[in-house]
Amino acid sequence: QDPAADLRPRACRLDRARALLGGQQAPATVPDMQALLRDHYGADLAGSQGELPSICMHVAPGRAGETASALVAHLRPGRPRELTTTVWTAFGSPCLSVFRPVYPCAVGLPAGLDRGGATYDPDSPWWIFERLQRLVMQAPSLAPTVRGAFGRLEARFREEAAATEADATARLAAGDRAGALRLLRDLVNSTTTRAITVARTLTTELAARAAAQADPAMQVVWADLNAAAGLPGAVPAASAAADD
């Protein structure tokens, strides 16, 4: 709707998505779609800052804008209404985050997930993930550590979701709708809590390594953005002084 908007990033990302999906030899699975949203042309963060924007976008020298969240909706009309839709959602850029299951036709989201604004809030789930991602974007060598931790967690979430959905289906068939909803609600709450806990833990563990391994060019890019957001400790003082 904005006539002044630059449409090139959107067109490039759409073409890339079509190319990847066009190469599918079998029906796309949820992990396939999650991988699509994480696409960086097969490169890691350090090598993905080329002229063409990747599907998973990040701020880079000469380019603003980044992915704020990601969602994959798995629609299965043959199931009971409560389980016809499993939405896998991730805070922030999906390549540095974890997808968790949500059941919009059955249970609501945990309280507090909508907390957040334009400035850093340590109790905002979105900002917890954003702070971690900004650390990694300034030190891209840390990306494999974050992806490994979230990848293992996401695999457990998939296993737990499959088992919980099977149990909930059996309870619905037996007429125990309250019990089925309780199972789904506990899963949503548990996966959300664990995802946030892992993000907090990684931020604490990687802060010193991020300062030591930071890319000076990326520090410069993020310095003003972090300062405007009131993000504590995002850029080492030495880098900020050198930048001045």
Side-chain angles (χ1 to χ4, degrees), residues 91 96-98 111-113 115 120-133 135-136 146 149-150 153 191-208 231-232:
F91 292 110
L96 295 172
S97 189
V98 57
L113 283 192
R115 176 169 179 164
Y120 174 69
D121 179 350
D123 294 321
S124 163
W126 187 87
W127 272 108
I128 290 168
F129 278 84
E130 178 68 8
R131 184 180 183 186
L132 172 62
Q133 291 176 28
L135 282 177
V136 177
V146 173
F150 281 146
L153 186 63
T191 53
T192 298
T193 298
R194 282 180 285 161
I196 293 171
T197 298
V198 170
R200 286 186 187 274
T201 301
L202 285 170
T203 300
T204 300
E205 293 177 348
L206 297 179
L231 201 62

Side-chain angles (χ1 to χ4, degrees), residues 2 32 51 104 113 117 156 161 208 210 229 243:
D2 181 1
D32 288 336
E51 181 178 348
L113 283 192
R156 290 199 292 273
D243 201 25

Side-chain angles (χ1 to χ4, degrees), residues 101-174:
V102 177
Y103 300 90
C105 297
V107 297
L109 292 170
L113 283 192
D114 58 351
R115 176 169 179 164
T119 57
Y120 174 69
D121 179 350
D123 294 321
S124 163
W126 187 87
W127 272 108
I128 290 168
F129 278 84
E130 178 68 8
R131 184 180 183 186
L132 172 62
Q133 291 176 28
R134 292 190 184 199
L135 282 177
V136 177
M137 286 307 302
Q138 292 176 88
S141 60
L142 299 179
T145 300
V146 173
R147 289 174 178 160
F150 281 146
R152 292 187 292 274
L153 186 63
E154 191 170 283
R156 290 199 292 273
F157 287 175
R158 282 197 295 268
E159 294 174 356
E160 292 173 15
T164 301
E165 290 173 12
D167 197 351
T169 299
R171 294 195 181 210
L172 288 169

Side-chain angles (χ1 to χ4, degrees), residues 138 210-211 214-216 219-220 223 235-244:
Q138 292 176 88
D215 179 333
Q219 286 181 304
V220 171
V235 177
S239 296
D243 201 25
D244 290 338

